[in-house]
Amino acid sequence: GQSLEQPSEVTAVEGAIVQINCTYQTSGFYGLSWYQQHDGGAPTFLSYNALDGLEETGRFSSFLSRSDSYGYLLLQELQMKDSASYFCAVVFSGGYNKLIFGAGTRLAVHP
Amino acid sequence: KAGVTQTPRYLIKTRGQQVTLSCSPISGHRSVSWYQQTPGQGLQFLFEYFSETQRNKGNFPGRFSGRQFSNSRSEMNVSTLELGDSALYLCASSPGGGGLSYEQYFGPGTRLTVT
């Protein structure tokens, strides 16, 4: 089957660093994306890893290890506005290509 | 560029009825995908349309259908509504040339309540 697992909740303080992990099980894996969704808002694309290694975009970085079926999103210098849900997502192939999202990690940033 | 727009934003329907939701993608985007978001099941992929053809689909029953027009606008239809269809329905667009994209641009969603 196809599945993604990520922690349901993470709590951190302003200015800290937090890592949100995502593990997946699939065949026909193409790459890993990350999305952010604020309460009442639409998901917005953050990053994508097709190859192993780290991708950096400002305060956010994303990592992928295909051999370990594992990735993470790293958020640095946390700000209150980073409080949101974060989803990892992959495209699985096999007949129909499907974009599968993890259940989401709710990040709460406190002063 | 204007973002993805969805209409209506809120909808209340009765069990057994049918509903049609509309999505206008970002100008130039030819791929439109639909997702259902619920607290219990999270974000689930319904289907993707590209050039007026369904290119990819998820694991939803045939009551969920869609179509895409020549201007890339898309509609999603749910027939014989069930209480469990209450959800936020999100539309997303992408340029679409290379298959189902990892980078989707989401609209604000239509909140459907079935009573």
Side-chain angles (χ1 to χ4, degrees), chain B residues 34-36 44-48 57-58 60 64 76 89:
Chain B
W34 289 89
Y35 300 83
Q36 181 194 67
Q44 293 187 284
F45 174 72
L46 281 154
F47 31 63
E48 183 220 8
K57 65 178 291 187
F60 278 78
F64 292 82
M76 190 193 90
Y89 288 89

Side-chain angles (χ1 to χ4, degrees), chain B residues 2 6 12-13 19 28 35 55-56 58 63 74 80 95-96 112:
Chain B
Q6 293 186 245
I12 300 175
K13 288 288 189 178
V19 67
Y35 300 83
R55 186 164 67 173
N56 296 293
R63 300 187 297 110
S74 177
T80 320
L112 172 65

Side-chain angles (χ1 to χ4, degrees), chain A residues 29-33 35 37 40-45 48 87 89-91 96-103, chain B residues 9 35 37 42-45 54-59 88 90 99-109:
Chain A
F29 169 82
Y30 288 133
L32 188 69
S33 290
Y35 287 80
Q37 186 178 29
T44 56
F45 173 79
Y48 169 59
F87 298 87
V90 298
V91 170
Y96 290 105
N97 288 347
K98 296 185 291 186
L99 184 61
I100 306 296
F101 282 81
Chain B
R9 293 294 311 279
Y35 300 83
Q37 187 173 29
L43 264 164
Q44 293 187 284
F45 174 72
Q54 187 180 87
R55 186 164 67 173
N56 296 293
K57 65 178 291 187
N59 297 328
L88 180 67
L90 291 160
L100 185 57
S101 174
Y102 282 89
E103 185 172 353
Q104 301 277 316
Y105 295 82
F106 283 84

Side-chain angles (χ1 to χ4, degrees), chain B:
Chain B
K1 277 186 181 178
V4 177
T5 58
Q6 293 186 245
T7 56
R9 293 294 311 279
Y10 302 90
L11 204 50
I12 300 175
K13 288 288 189 178
T14 302
R15 197 170 39 181
Q17 288 185 315
Q18 75 165 11
V19 67
T20 299
L21 312 181
S22 182
C23 172
S24 293
I26 291 172
S27 177
H29 284 191
R30 296 167 62 195
S31 167
V32 174
S33 297
W34 289 89
Y35 300 83
Q36 181 194 67
Q37 187 173 29
T38 60
Q41 299 297 318
L43 264 164
Q44 293 187 284
F45 174 72
L46 281 154
F47 31 63
E48 183 220 8
Y49 284 86
F50 178 79
S51 291
E52 302 178 64
T53 300
Q54 187 180 87
R55 186 164 67 173
N56 296 293
K57 65 178 291 187
N59 297 328
F60 278 78
R63 300 187 297 110
F64 292 82
S65 63
R67 59 177 176 169
Q68 187 180 34
F69 302 95
S70 59
N71 62 357
S72 294
R73 191 177 68 84
S74 177
E75 289 182 346
M76 190 193 90
N77 185 77
V78 188
S79 62
T80 320
L81 283 166
E82 301 175 0
L83 295 178
D85 297 332
S86 294
L88 180 67
Y89 288 89
L90 291 160
C91 165
S93 74
S94 66
L100 185 57
S101 174
Y102 282 89
E103 185 172 353
Q104 301 277 316
Y105 295 82
F106 283 84
T110 294
R111 173 74 62 185
L112 172 65
T113 302
V114 182
T115 62

